[in-house]
Amino acid sequence: MEAMIKDKTDGGGVYDKEYYPFIVVPDEHIVGIPKELLMLAFSYARTKFYDLIKLSTWTDEQALEVSQTSLVLLLIGSENLTAINARKRLIIQNTETASLGQEFRVTTVILCSRLQKHSKSPLIWNYHKHIVSSQFSHFSRTATYRERAKYIEDLCKSELQTVLVAAEHHPMNYYAWGYARWVFAGIYGSLLSSPSARYYSVVFVRKYIESTVRKIEKWCFLHASDTSAWSFFQWVLFMYVDCSHRDPADRIDDKCLLGKVGEVIQFATTVSLAHESAWGFVRRVVSDSDYVSDPERESFIRTINSYLRSRKADTYGTQVNDEYMSNKEKTVRQKQESILDNLRDKDVYVVGSCLNWIAVRTHLKNAGRN
């Protein structure tokens, strides 16, 4: 470890002797634990932890040891149900070493860490959900409607940021996006059942859900292959429309949904070629007759068909006959054009499948109505 530690005068603050044996990166708010040190702690913590959980009750000192040793076990292995249950037991016993606020911070740090297995751990996500649900229940018992509204708005913002960080560290993070759905459908949905929901549905939807749609759209554009993110984008977009249509007097124009679909189609046809995730979003939204009318669907289909015809007409070819090019340059050019041909063929297949899927889904829905 001494070889890893730099002097304080290096200006970076990394491996600072003041924080030994931890590794601190102040600018990024990261605290690192050397793996060698963590494994040494694990060998002690495992034995101590399993001795303590056999006891029916814990003293304050034992409760502190359970809290510390269980955390070490969770950092080593994300799916340790016994460690999670021990931490729940600490909360139930209402010890000074564990509280809902502390557990919320601990689970948030673990889920936002660069440990990929932890950021996609169903056990930790479910425990985090349990903590958030318990906090919300305790707060709601005495809070006024306005206080609950502000609390939920802040909670949704912080939890969405947690989900985005976890999804950044582990692509296709189904559990993270599933948790995001629970936050918006469960926590936010609790406000819509309130007598004051008529006012809140207008203010909150326009102010926050619409901004969430923009944030998720931008995130999806930066992570075009993350199908779980695109699925959540579709879900929250439909949620926006559903909330805005709860009362005819509060009806919000559907231009937001149609505009987002148009932006995704433009993105899929110019920047993110042959990405099935983006086209999967398009086909799910466009084919849904509850949100997109027949004339609007036909307009989208014409746009997609026009793009498909232009892609089929693109020809690159692999025959390079420029007499001024060397054989090496010709080989490089042939490889480049071969890559473009493969991309075009895949793009044509993906877009064609999208159109076929829309046609079949629309036909089945119309047949069901008749």
Side-chain angles (χ1 to χ4, degrees):
M1 288 298 300
E2 288 294 337
M4 299 171 61
I5 299 176
K6 298 181 180 180
D7 189 68
K8 289 184 181 180
T9 56
D10 63 4
V14 183
Y15 308 134
D16 197 324
K17 289 182 179 180
E18 182 181 351
Y19 302 105
Y20 177 80
F22 300 109
I23 303 169
V24 180
V25 186
D27 295 339
E28 299 183 21
H29 306 288
I30 294 173
V31 177
I33 305 174
K35 189 173 181 180
E36 297 84 354
L37 184 67
L38 188 60
M39 293 306 296
L40 287 173
F42 173 74
S43 63
Y44 168 81
R46 188 178 185 279
T47 303
K48 190 67 175 177
F49 173 78
Y50 284 103
D51 287 339
L52 288 170
I53 61 172
K54 297 175 184 178
L55 303 176
S56 58
T57 58
W58 297 318
T59 64
D60 290 343
E61 184 179 352
Q62 290 172 335
L64 179 59
E65 288 185 320
V66 170
S67 176
Q68 293 174 339
T69 55
S70 61
L71 181 56
V72 172
L73 296 183
L74 283 177
L75 291 176
I76 291 293
S78 60
E79 301 304 309
N80 195 319
L81 181 59
T82 308
I84 291 291
N85 288 336
R87 300 186 75 83
K88 287 183 180 179
R89 183 177 159 189
L90 287 172
I91 296 174
I92 294 172
Q93 292 184 1
N94 197 24
T95 63
E96 295 181 358
T97 58
S99 64
L100 289 174
Q102 176 183 319
E103 290 303 287
F104 176 80
R105 291 189 292 272
V106 168
T107 52
T108 300
V109 168
I110 293 176
L111 291 170
C112 293
S113 70
R114 296 183 181 273
L115 301 170
Q116 289 193 355
K117 290 183 179 180
H118 292 68
S119 61
K120 199 178 181 180
S121 167
L123 191 64
I124 297 179
W125 278 111
N126 285 331
Y127 180 47
H128 189 68
K129 181 191 296 186
H130 168 74
I131 296 299
V132 172
S133 179
S134 299
Q135 281 185 315
F136 178 66
S137 298
H138 290 170
F139 180 82
S140 300
R141 290 172 187 170
T142 57
T144 64
Y145 178 81
R146 191 175 295 275
E147 290 172 339
R148 288 178 64 221
K150 183 66 170 71
Y151 177 85
I152 288 178
E153 184 174 357
D154 294 340
L155 177 66
C156 288
K157 288 180 180 178
S158 66
E159 293 307 280
L160 180 61
Q161 187 60 34
T162 299
V163 168
L164 293 180
V165 173
E168 183 80 37
H169 294 163
H170 199 305
M172 317 296 179
N173 199 330
Y174 168 81
Y175 298 104
W177 294 110
Y179 171 76
R181 293 190 187 209
W182 173 81
V183 169
F184 280 86
I187 303 296
Y188 164 68
S190 67
L191 283 175
L192 297 181
S193 60
S194 169
S196 304
R198 187 175 183 275
Y199 163 79
Y200 198 78
S201 63
V202 176
V203 175
F204 189 78
V205 169
R206 287 185 177 177
K207 210 174 107 181
Y208 181 66
I209 298 295
E210 189 174 358
S211 67
T212 300
V213 168
R214 290 196 299 269
K215 182 181 292 186
I216 298 300
E217 179 188 33
K218 182 179 179 181
W219 201 92
C220 287
F221 285 175
L222 294 174
H223 306 80
S225 61
D226 197 321
T227 183
S228 296
W230 283 104
S231 179
F232 177 77
F233 179 33
Q234 172 223 323
W235 181 86
V236 77
L237 190 59
F238 283 176
M239 180 185 179
Y240 168 79
V241 176
D242 289 339
C243 290
S244 63
H245 291 179
R246 294 180 71 249
D247 190 324
D250 297 337
R251 183 180 179 88
I252 297 176
D253 201 331
D254 287 343
K255 288 183 179 179
C256 176
L257 184 143
L258 301 176
K260 295 304 176 186
V261 176
E263 290 172 9
V264 173
I265 292 176
Q266 183 179 8
F267 170 75
T269 56
T270 55
V271 180
S272 181
L273 301 177
H275 268 298
E276 293 186 61
S277 300
W279 286 109
F281 168 88
V282 171
R283 74 186 186 189
R284 287 192 298 269
V285 177
V286 173
S287 65
D288 199 315
S289 56
D290 294 333
Y291 296 91
V292 179
S293 64
D294 291 340
E296 292 160 350
R297 183 179 302 104
E298 291 299 324
S299 176
F300 286 131
I301 290 176
R302 284 194 297 270
T303 301
I304 299 172
N305 265 319
S306 176
Y307 169 73
L308 185 60
R309 286 193 296 269
S310 67
R311 286 298 278 163
K312 287 181 178 179
D314 288 340
T315 54
Y316 300 102
T318 56
Q319 299 297 322
V320 180
N321 298 315
D322 192 334
E323 60 181 359
Y324 296 104
M325 295 177 63
S326 65
N327 290 334
K328 185 176 180 180
E329 291 173 331
K330 288 181 180 180
T331 301
V332 172
R333 177 67 64 82
Q334 286 176 345
K335 288 182 179 179
Q336 292 173 342
E337 294 187 350
S338 177
I339 292 173
L340 291 174
D341 280 333
N342 292 334
L343 178 62
R344 179 203 59 196
D345 293 342
K346 182 181 178 182
D347 199 29
V348 168
Y349 172 78
V350 170
V351 178
S353 299
C354 174
L355 286 172
N356 292 336
W357 201 90
I358 293 173
V360 171
R361 182 77 181 271
T362 305
H363 174 74
L364 291 176
K365 283 208 169 185
N366 292 335
R369 288 177 178 176
N370 298 330

